[in-house]
Amino acid sequence: AAKMGGGGGGGGDQGGGGDGGGQKNPDEWKIRLLQLLGGSDHEVEAAKEDPKRAKALPVSDLDVLLDNSSCDKFVLRCVENELPPNLIHCLRLLRVLELQHAHTAVAMKQRAGGDESSTVTDSISTMATSKVSKLLCMLCTDPSVGEQLRPHLFGLLALSGASYPPSGVHVASAASDVILAFSENCLSASLVWFLHDRKMIVHMTDDVKELCGMTDVSSPSSVTLCLYGQAAEAAGLWVVALRTVVKLVVLSCQHQCLELLRDFDAAGGYHVLCYGIANAGPKHIPKLLELVTTLVCCKTDTSSSRRPPLDATDGSVEMSQADGTVASELSMQAMPSSQEDLEDARLATNPNAFEIVEDLMVRSVPLLSAYVEANDGQRPSLASNDNLRELASFSIDTARDILCNPDSDDTEREGVEAFDLASELLVTTLQLYSDHAKNYSIIESRYNILSQYLIAFSTFSDVSVKVMILKTLEYVCTGLSDSNSAKPLSVLSEIFFSLCKCLLVEQKVDEEGDDGGIGNKVHDSFTLDIELLMGTLVKLLQFDESVSHVMVEGGLLVDKIDDFLQLVLDSPYIQDASINEIDGVRDPPSSTEVDGVFSAVCNILRLVVRTGAISRSSLSRHGTEIGAPANEGHEDLEKNLNLLLCTGIKDLGEKSMQSALSVFEAKLTSRHDESLKDDMGCIIDLLDYFAEMTGRSCGVSPAGDAVESAPAVRRKRDRPWREGGKIDASDLDREREGDSVSLPLSLLERESEVLNMLRSVLESNESAQDAFRISGGFECMIRVMLCLDGVLDDDVDMLAHGRAIADSEDKDDAEEAEEDDSGVGAMAKAVQSLIASILALLCAATEPSRNQKNFMGALVESSAAVDSLHAFSEDDRIAGTPASVNRMYLRHRGLYIALASAISETGILKSPRHALLVINHALKFMEPTLGIPVPGEAEERKLSGDSGKNDSSGFIRNPDAVRLILGLAVRLPDTDEEMRDLSKTACKEIIRLCAMDKCGTSLSQIASSGLISSLTNPNEFAPYLEDVSHHLYALFVLLMRRLASFTMTYMDFVALLRCIAGPMLRDDNGESKSDDLKTKRIRLPVISFSVRTNTT
């Protein structure tokens, strides 16, 4: 070690003499230095290739030291012989060696007449420098080395930012490693103050400025020999120099002293680092951005920054040296524990350094660059909602300009690097947010980094950058539990709705034919942006319901819904719809250009309303427009939202319709207050609208009256089979008078979709069952069917099919005709589907959502008591579930019979095939396992062993639905034997359920449902018990006998006695000239007086 120290010092002196020309051989010191440090690179490489040279190569003193570095008190002996300072001299000499070697090569090139700029010089000291750095870094792990190096720190620190030839870059890297090792282990408060007093950080920063080309070179003669500017950046010298000074400053702050950090800031260090990142190549940008993170996490929360007493420090050092121990306690006194250090080392305690990222964003983010240029250097502000709206509009305009002018201002040449820098900045921000849970709140509250990226979302042409922005937002909202994400979510909502509104406007321009090429490009780009934003919003809303409340509080619905509604109403599709509705029936379009935007908005609204964020109770906590009462503003919001959804269902494409229905379903499912009735009333009004449209085609109004402006059609008075009358075959061939308006099938399909949505709601929300009844939902179902009065009377497909089957004498011809069309026309299919949807909805309204299987037992016990009521009132709702109240409502209001009559008036029962399907729908409404086999299915069931009656429990779900089945059976046309057989089969199915072996199940249910009163009621089925000639008379008598023999209340007995005694007591004196049996009947006055009339 002593020889190494002396040799190193001698080498330094010889180096100085060599420069002055005092030695006979100026290169002798270089040879001795390289031999002392292990030889030149050429000698080492030659020794590796030739074993003989390897044996002849002497072992260097430095190799001996490295081999014995694990010996006891190795560091102490090296310090005693002043090895660390001499190793620093060696590093400085190696730099001089490389400079002279490069100068010699250039001079030789000049003498040879070559181009000196193309001179390539190989390094000669790479191995020697590596060994010196390794040994010096190992020595610097002991804090006692720090004080010994105090006089030599200026020379050491100057090596990191000094100029180097291309062959000497490795010396800068080695010096940087030594400085970092010294900073991590040897720094103390005393040394920090020493560096501050000598202004070393200022000098290092000035050297970096010169190296980066920010200032003029102090030695112009070295410009041609050394690397500066972009040449130094390409060689990695920028990274080496900036990394050294930044980490030295950061590590100095761990000693409760911020002087070096202040020196770095005062010397323009932040600006230098920003300049380096902005002008560095893509290879070095990530490394430089790591330095920003290091600066941001620099410890600035020290309690004191006072200069320590020098005598205490010196005494500690002398004690450690005299004792011969490692004085590691010196620098660790002020250091926190390892666990605290790991926790706090990543905390952003120096957020001022993040101004570097903010400055770089202005250069790399297109929106910020355009805004600063347009506003004379002023940066955007997100302080208020008005500023946010203006900035969102400016962002959309900027994105449109970029898409329309991709080649302007050399964007194509510089765009790639700019967007790469923006992406790297975002990655750095995400890394910083993920390092510590509090970093997001510290950084975002001051600089709004994430919010600015979101507002500039559409201005980025690289989709990967957009995805990274959204991933960062998702992490902030889901990965940081205590983060305040209100502003980023508000920005996301604003830019999302701004894009949607812009897309509607752009589409309107394209429709008018203004430069469709550019418009299509903007449309495609904005559509992709909407999809990306929508996907993120959906994820966030599904993950955390509180996100929806944050979005509502940020003004998502108050202003956005109104603006979006107005744009939708102003679209050409809605304007055309309004014109067409004045003239007649409008066929809703299957698709429109605005379906994508409308669906995207509805997808977000569906998740927001599902959480109840816009319910009346939650909205009462938030303000509305200035000067408007709170409740009034909220009612307007609900009204506009419902109007927007209804517009999409009525006038836009199928995709918009489905999305709007999903929002309505979410609202109706999640609500249980008064607002549920308002929403249900809106749906009922929507169904009435569709009923009115269909009524215009059929010449009827929702109330059943004739429409004067509609074409002349057959009314109820022209239909002799109404009210149970017989059907004449000539009625089926009667033609309508005048021109008829064709009924669009899409209207019926949309009605069915609305009904299916309601069914899903009633199945999951019992409160909605009450709201449906109170809002007149059951009566609306009757109106929907009444407006289809006679729609199938002249269905060509049904008539042709029926005649083909009837007129075919050959069995093979009949089968061929049946297979040809199966009696199913397009309109008949639509009506059939509508009937199925109505019955499914009624089933959901009369089935408890909590337990559909076990509810029947309780209903059997309570039906008799409830049936004793003479009138239905709303107070009965308290006595049972909404489903049981709905059943009583349907029974006492006679709505089953009304629905059967309305179905028959459509004309669908004239076809045997469709009549059978309707009867099966009614049977399944009563009990899903019931049904009459369709021709062709009976044989398949026999082969499969399925009898078709799987009601093994014996109970039926809704015994009141017997009235609907019987009502349809008596209204089937009796024009041919097939229709009469079908009506009889339906009645026999009911009678089968009333067999004595089912006295504990279905018979008890049907008897307790008050069917005897319906059978004896003159307004329901009593006429068929009086008409002996009717083909269902015997079956009705049999049904009455089974029910009466099982159980019968007092009221049922009185009604039955009146029904039976009436026909027996007739006036046969001939005084009555009428043949009507009703006029000949003699009423029993005592019985009539003792029975109270049911007013319902």
Side-chain angles (χ1 to χ4, degrees):
K3 181 179 179 181
M4 183 63 196
D13 295 337
Q14 291 174 7
D19 294 338
Q23 298 290 338
K24 295 180 179 180
N25 185 4
D27 295 333
E28 183 179 354
W29 71 272
K30 303 177 186 177
I31 297 173
R32 289 186 59 191
L33 178 63
L34 291 176
Q35 289 177 352
L36 192 65
L37 301 179
S40 65
D41 294 345
H42 300 293
E43 294 175 349
V44 175
E45 292 296 333
K48 290 182 180 180
E49 297 177 359
D50 190 356
K52 294 181 179 181
R53 289 190 177 184
K55 294 180 180 180
L57 188 66
V59 179
S60 65
D61 295 342
L62 195 58
D63 291 332
V64 175
L65 290 172
L66 290 173
D67 292 340
N68 294 276
S69 60
S70 60
C71 295
D72 189 22
K73 297 185 179 181
F74 174 79
V75 176
L76 177 61
R77 297 295 176 251
C78 292
V79 172
E80 290 176 351
N81 288 273
E82 296 185 357
L83 180 60
N86 283 282
L87 289 176
I88 292 178
H89 293 323
C90 290
L91 281 177
R92 298 179 64 188
L93 289 174
L94 288 172
R95 173 179 176 269
V96 175
L97 186 148
E98 290 291 353
L99 283 171
Q100 293 186 3
H101 178 63
H103 179 74
T104 302
V106 172
M108 293 176 61
K109 190 74 172 181
Q110 288 177 346
R111 288 194 295 267
D115 185 7
E116 62 182 32
S117 61
S118 62
T119 303
V120 179
T121 306
D122 295 331
S123 301
I124 62 174
S125 62
T126 303
M127 299 300 298
T129 305
S130 175
K131 294 177 182 179
V132 172
S133 175
K134 182 178 180 181
L135 180 57
L136 195 51
C137 289
M138 183 176 57
L139 294 174
C140 287
T141 57
D142 191 282
S144 62
V145 177
E147 287 300 324
Q148 190 178 47
L149 294 181
R150 180 191 290 257
H152 308 279
L153 287 178
F154 190 87
L156 176 62
L157 298 180
L159 289 176
S160 63
S163 59
Y164 290 89
S167 59
V169 176
H170 62 280
V171 179
S173 299
S176 177
D177 294 338
V178 173
I179 295 172
L180 294 181
F182 172 83
S183 303
E184 291 176 0
N185 303 286
C186 301
L187 268 183
S188 63
S190 175
L191 287 175
V192 171
W193 278 101
F194 172 78
L195 296 177
H196 166 66
D197 293 339
R198 299 298 188 273
K199 299 185 182 298
M200 291 187 181
I201 296 300
V202 177
H203 293 308
M204 292 178 70
T205 305
D206 293 339
D207 292 341
V208 177
K209 292 179 181 178
E210 185 176 316
L211 184 65
C212 296
M214 298 176 64
T215 59
D216 296 334
V217 181
S218 58
S219 301
S221 59
S222 63
V223 174
T224 58
L225 186 63
C226 297
L227 300 174
Y228 291 97
Q230 289 298 325
E233 193 281 326
L237 290 177
W238 288 14
V239 175
V240 172
L242 287 169
R243 179 188 61 183
T244 304
V245 65
V246 168
K247 291 195 174 182
L248 174 59
V249 169
V250 172
L251 292 172
S252 70
C253 295
Q254 296 181 358
H255 300 275
Q256 295 185 349
C257 184
L258 307 181
E259 300 305 319
L260 297 189
L261 180 62
R262 298 189 182 101
D263 292 343
F264 182 74
D265 188 10
Y270 292 157
H271 178 64
V272 175
L273 182 55
C274 180
Y275 178 88
I277 298 173
N279 294 275
K283 178 181 178 181
H284 297 137
I285 286 179
K287 297 179 181 178
L288 294 175
L289 286 175
E290 290 178 2
L291 301 179
V292 178
T293 305
T294 304
L295 275 174
V296 172
C297 297
C298 178
K299 292 184 178 297
T300 59
D301 54 350
T302 55
S303 59
S304 114
S305 178
R306 294 177 297 175
R307 184 192 299 268
L310 295 178
D311 54 350
T313 305
D314 295 341
S316 300
V317 175
E318 291 176 359
M319 184 182 299
S320 64
Q321 292 179 354
D323 193 18
T325 59
V326 178
S328 58
E329 296 83 358
L330 178 64
S331 63
M332 294 300 294
Q333 291 177 354
M335 299 289 289
S337 63
S338 59
Q339 185 175 0
E340 293 177 352
D341 187 41
L342 291 175
E343 179 68 22
D344 298 337
R346 299 175 180 178
L347 180 63
T349 54
N350 183 31
N352 293 332
F354 216 76
E355 293 179 359
I356 299 173
V357 174
E358 189 180 32
D359 293 338
L360 292 172
M361 286 177 59
V362 175
R363 304 187 185 191
S364 59
V365 177
L367 169 65
L368 301 181
S369 302
Y371 187 91
V372 170
E373 182 179 357
N375 294 272
D376 299 329
Q378 183 181 359
R379 296 186 181 182
S381 173
L382 299 175
S384 64
N385 291 333
D386 294 337
N387 294 337
L388 180 58
R389 296 188 189 98
E390 294 176 0
L391 194 57
S393 178
F394 185 84
S395 176
I396 299 300
D397 295 338
T398 304
R400 186 188 292 108
D401 294 339
I402 294 175
L403 292 170
C404 296
N405 304 289
D407 299 329
S408 61
D409 298 332
D410 296 331
T411 303
E412 186 175 357
R413 178 176 60 85
E414 300 179 357
V416 177
E417 294 186 0
F419 291 145
D420 285 344
L421 178 57
S423 176
E424 293 295 338
L425 292 174
L426 185 62
V427 171
T428 301
T429 304
L430 177 59
Q431 181 64 44
L432 187 63
Y433 289 169
S434 61
D435 285 342
H436 199 283
K438 297 181 180 179
N439 286 348
Y440 168 79
S441 301
I442 296 173
I443 299 298
E444 193 67 23
S445 60
R446 297 184 59 175
Y447 299 104
N448 295 317
I449 301 298
L450 181 56
S451 299
Q452 293 188 61
Y453 267 99
L454 287 170
I455 203 68
F457 186 83
S458 296
T459 61
F460 294 103
S461 61
D462 191 354
V463 179
S464 62
V465 177
K466 299 179 180 181
V467 174
M468 180 62 67
I469 294 172
L470 298 178
K471 292 299 181 182
T472 304
L473 177 63
E474 292 175 11
Y475 171 75
V476 168
C477 295
T478 60
L480 303 177
S481 57
D482 297 332
S483 63
N484 183 8
S485 57
K487 180 171 289 187
L489 288 174
S490 298
V491 173
L492 179 65
S493 305
E494 183 67 41
I495 196 65
F496 173 76
F497 275 92
S498 297
L499 282 170
C500 292
K501 292 187 290 186
C502 179
L503 204 56
L504 290 177
V505 175
E506 284 291 334
Q507 185 58 47
K508 185 176 181 180
V509 172
D510 291 344
E511 290 291 333
E512 295 174 357
D514 291 344
D515 200 355
I518 295 178
N520 289 334
K521 186 175 182 179
V522 174
H523 181 272
D524 295 340
S525 178
F526 286 179
T527 300
L528 178 60
D529 292 345
I530 289 174
E531 292 176 356
L532 293 174
L533 294 172
M534 181 189 67
T536 297
L537 282 172
V538 169
K539 291 179 184 178
L540 296 177
L541 290 170
Q542 291 176 342
F543 176 80
D544 189 0
E545 292 184 355
S546 62
V547 174
S548 60
H549 294 277
V550 172
M551 295 172 65
V552 172
E553 292 174 359
L556 171 63
L557 297 179
V558 176
D559 298 325
K560 306 298 184 301
I561 294 300
D562 297 344
D563 297 341
F564 191 74
L565 172 62
Q566 190 60 45
L567 288 175
V568 171
L569 294 177
D570 292 341
S571 64
Y573 308 101
I574 308 302
Q575 297 297 325
D576 295 342
S578 301
I579 296 175
N580 292 335
E581 286 179 9
I582 297 176
D583 299 333
V585 181
R586 176 178 181 261
D587 187 4
S590 59
S591 63
T592 63
E593 295 294 336
V594 301
D595 286 343
V597 179
F598 191 90
S599 299
V601 174
C602 287
N603 286 336
I604 303 304
L605 294 176
R606 172 176 57 85
L607 296 173
V608 172
V609 301
R610 187 181 64 180
T611 61
I614 60 171
S615 62
R616 181 173 300 177
S617 57
S618 64
L619 283 175
S620 61
R621 299 193 301 268
H622 312 304
T624 57
E625 277 186 291
I626 299 176
N631 292 334
E632 180 180 349
H634 301 150
E635 292 177 359
D636 292 341
L637 173 60
E638 290 281 358
K639 180 180 179 181
N640 291 338
L641 178 58
N642 290 340
L643 178 58
L644 176 65
L645 299 177
C646 291
T647 302
I649 296 173
K650 295 188 297 184
D651 301 318
L652 297 182
E654 295 179 359
K655 185 177 181 181
S656 298
M657 175 199 66
Q658 295 291 348
S659 300
L661 287 176
S662 68
V663 180
F664 264 128
E665 182 177 354
K667 291 180 65 178
L668 294 170
T669 304
S670 61
R671 295 185 172 183
H672 303 276
D673 53 7
E674 292 296 325
S675 60
L676 177 61
K677 297 180 181 179
D678 299 336
D679 293 335
M680 188 66 70
C682 182
I683 295 296
I684 299 302
D685 293 340
L686 183 63
L687 288 171
D688 285 336
Y689 164 82
F690 285 119
E692 181 182 358
M693 290 294 103
T694 56
R696 290 183 183 181
S697 176
C698 299
V700 295
S701 67
D705 301 328
V707 180
E708 297 180 358
S709 61
V713 295
R714 282 185 288 112
R715 312 295 181 191
K716 286 185 178 181
R717 59 180 178 274
D718 301 324
R719 309 281 289 278
W721 58 90
R722 299 290 187 246
E723 303 298 334
K726 295 185 178 181
I727 303 173
D728 195 301
S730 61
D731 292 331
L732 294 175
D733 299 327
R734 185 181 303 173
E735 298 181 355
R736 300 188 181 208
E737 300 176 0
D739 298 329
S740 62
V741 179
S742 60
L743 175 62
L745 295 178
S746 57
L747 282 176
L748 299 183
E749 294 172 355
R750 297 206 174 193
E751 274 186 300
S752 299
E753 293 294 338
V754 175
L755 294 173
N756 292 335
M757 181 274 296
L758 270 180
R759 173 186 56 80
S760 178
V761 171
L762 297 185
E763 288 176 347
S764 57
N765 187 359
E766 285 193 347
S767 300
Q769 294 177 346
D770 273 333
F772 180 75
R773 181 188 69 255
I774 296 172
S775 301
F778 295 112
E779 290 80 2
C780 180
M781 298 301 100
I782 307 299
R783 292 195 297 270
V784 168
M785 295 307 303
L786 286 175
C787 287
L788 294 174
D789 188 359
V791 69
L792 295 176
D793 284 349
D794 297 329
D795 192 292
V796 178
D797 293 334
M798 293 179 62
L799 292 176
H801 175 74
R803 288 168 181 167
I805 298 296
D807 298 340
S808 297
E809 298 180 357
D810 189 1
K811 180 179 180 181
D812 295 335
D813 294 339
E815 293 178 356
E816 182 179 356
E818 185 173 359
E819 293 176 358
D820 182 31
D821 189 42
S822 301
V824 181
M827 183 61 67
K829 282 183 179 180
V831 175
Q832 193 74 247
S833 176
L834 183 63
I835 294 174
S837 299
I838 290 177
L839 294 180
L841 174 60
L842 295 181
C843 181
T846 55
E847 288 294 327
S849 59
R850 63 179 183 272
N851 190 349
Q852 297 182 359
K853 293 183 179 180
N854 300 329
F855 179 72
M856 293 300 105
L859 183 63
V860 170
E861 298 176 359
S862 60
S863 293
V866 177
D867 192 69
S868 62
L869 300 176
H870 299 287
F872 176 82
S873 64
E874 185 61 22
D875 295 336
D876 295 332
R877 181 179 63 85
I878 305 175
T881 63
S884 63
V885 176
N886 287 344
R887 292 187 181 187
M888 298 301 105
Y889 186 87
L890 286 170
R891 180 198 304 177
H892 290 287
R893 294 296 175 93
L895 297 182
Y896 289 111
I897 305 301
L899 179 60
S901 177
I903 292 176
S904 67
E905 289 172 1
T906 63
I908 196 171
L909 299 181
K910 68 186 178 183
S911 168
R913 177 82 175 183
H914 287 289
L916 176 58
L917 293 176
V918 172
I919 293 295
N920 277 334
H921 287 318
L923 287 171
K924 293 184 181 300
F925 171 45
M926 181 174 67
E927 170 56 42
T929 60
L930 299 178
I932 301 173
V934 179
E937 294 181 0
E939 297 181 359
E940 296 180 1
R941 288 187 175 182
K942 290 181 180 179
L943 294 176
S944 61
D946 185 8
S947 62
K949 297 177 176 58
N950 300 323
D951 51 335
S952 56
S953 64
F955 288 98
I956 55 179
R957 290 190 177 183
N958 187 2
D960 291 341
V962 173
R963 296 168 174 80
L964 177 62
I965 300 172
L966 296 178
L968 292 172
V970 298
R971 286 168 174 79
L972 290 175
D974 59 350
T975 55
D976 53 28
E977 190 66 25
E978 183 178 3
M979 300 299 289
R980 288 192 293 270
D981 291 341
L982 178 58
S983 61
K984 291 179 181 179
T985 303
C987 293
K988 291 178 180 179
E989 188 70 14
I990 303 301
I991 294 174
R992 182 184 69 83
L993 296 175
C994 296
M996 292 306 298
D997 58 346
K998 299 182 180 294
C999 59
T1001 54
S1002 58
L1003 176 57
S1004 175
Q1005 289 180 269
I1006 296 175
S1008 301
S1009 65
L1011 184 58
I1012 294 179
S1013 299
S1014 297
L1015 291 176
T1016 57
N1017 190 339
N1019 296 325
E1020 295 186 38
F1021 302 107
Y1024 306 103
L1025 286 173
E1026 299 175 1
D1027 188 0
V1028 181
S1029 63
H1030 198 276
H1031 63 283
L1032 297 178
Y1033 171 77
L1035 297 177
F1036 272 93
V1037 172
L1038 177 59
L1039 178 61
M1040 175 67 77
R1041 182 184 301 120
R1042 291 192 176 185
L1043 293 175
S1045 62
F1046 178 74
T1047 181
M1048 189 165 45
T1049 64
Y1050 170 76
M1051 300 298 297
D1052 292 339
F1053 173 76
V1054 173
L1056 179 62
L1057 184 60
R1058 290 183 58 198
C1059 183
I1060 295 176
M1064 292 187 299
L1065 302 175
R1066 295 175 180 172
D1067 183 11
D1068 295 330
N1069 297 328
E1071 297 180 358
S1072 178
K1073 299 180 179 179
S1074 175
D1075 294 333
D1076 190 2
L1077 295 178
K1078 294 182 179 180
T1079 60
K1080 295 182 178 181
R1081 289 185 55 179
I1082 299 177
R1083 296 281 184 176
L1084 299 180
V1086 176
I1087 296 177
S1088 300
F1089 181 79
S1090 62
V1091 177
R1092 290 182 298 174
T1093 304
N1094 193 342
T1095 59
T1096 59

